[in-house]
Amino acid sequence: MEFGKLEREIRINAAPEIVFEVVSRPEHIKMWWPDDASVEPVPGGAGELVWGDRAKVAPLTVVDVDPPRKFAFRWVAPDGQRPNPDNSLLVTFELEPSGDSTILRLTESGWREKGWEAAVLEEAFRDHERGWDMFLPRLQNYAPSVVAR
């Protein structure tokens, strides 16, 4: 199996404007993904995702913000380094209206560019597959409860 790109697609019973808020605003991100989040949702904006009592902290850098169609960020950089195109994975949320719902397409790329040995790459890829398979349904359930601001 190739570990070049992780892709998922889900339908969310909420408008793209709502789903965009849910994937880009820290007050919403922490409701479906990490225990805490901080992010400045502008290109070049820095942030972090926190699990547990800061047991795991993942710095991120916002790459693309195109409301309500696209939100992308880089993460999984080496310890002590800010995520950039040479050292991290790129997560892209693409949103497409579909009636009263939204089709969310998640792509996580940059796996081969990390330079990990095959076993490490496969384990990290599988770990992220399990993670997205757990967290995307939470996003799917949470987004319809959000009211547009």
Side-chain angles (χ1 to χ4, degrees):
M1 175 173 180
E2 280 292 313
F3 301 107
K5 190 185 297 184
L6 193 159
E7 297 175 293
R8 294 290 183 270
E9 181 175 305
I10 60 172
R11 175 181 292 275
I12 301 172
N13 292 323
E17 293 78 11
I18 297 286
V19 178
F20 183 84
E21 292 286 317
V22 169
V23 299
S24 66
R25 310 276 321 157
E27 64 270 23
H28 294 300
I29 295 170
K30 68 183 181 181
M31 298 304 291
W32 62 270
W33 191 12
D35 295 314
D36 200 8
S38 66
V39 62
E40 188 179 352
V42 297
E48 63 182 20
L49 306 173
V50 179
W51 286 268
D53 190 18
R54 298 195 66 81
K56 181 176 180 193
V57 178
L60 63 86
T61 302
V62 176
V63 175
D64 196 359
V65 181
D66 182 15
R69 292 178 284 281
K70 186 176 181 183
F71 183 72
F73 63 88
R74 291 196 162 276
W75 75 322
V76 189
D79 286 343
Q81 294 182 29
R82 185 173 168 160
N84 67 59
D86 299 323
N87 71 357
S88 61
L89 299 177
L90 175 65
V91 173
T92 304
F93 293 104
E94 293 180 284
L95 311 175
E96 180 183 317
S98 178
D100 293 340
S101 300
T102 300
I103 302 298
L104 179 145
R105 290 183 186 87
L106 164 88
T107 305
E108 189 172 30
S109 58
W111 294 94
R112 287 199 276 316
E113 294 79 0
K114 290 288 287 174
W116 290 328
E117 63 181 52
V120 172
L121 171 62
E122 182 175 356
E123 177 50 36
F125 191 91
R126 298 282 187 222
D127 182 54
H128 282 234
E129 280 185 317
R130 288 186 299 270
W132 289 120
D133 288 346
M134 180 174 69
F135 291 114
L136 288 177
R138 289 174 60 178
L139 184 163
Q140 194 174 32
N141 290 331
Y142 171 71
S145 73
V146 175
V147 177
R149 52 183 195 120

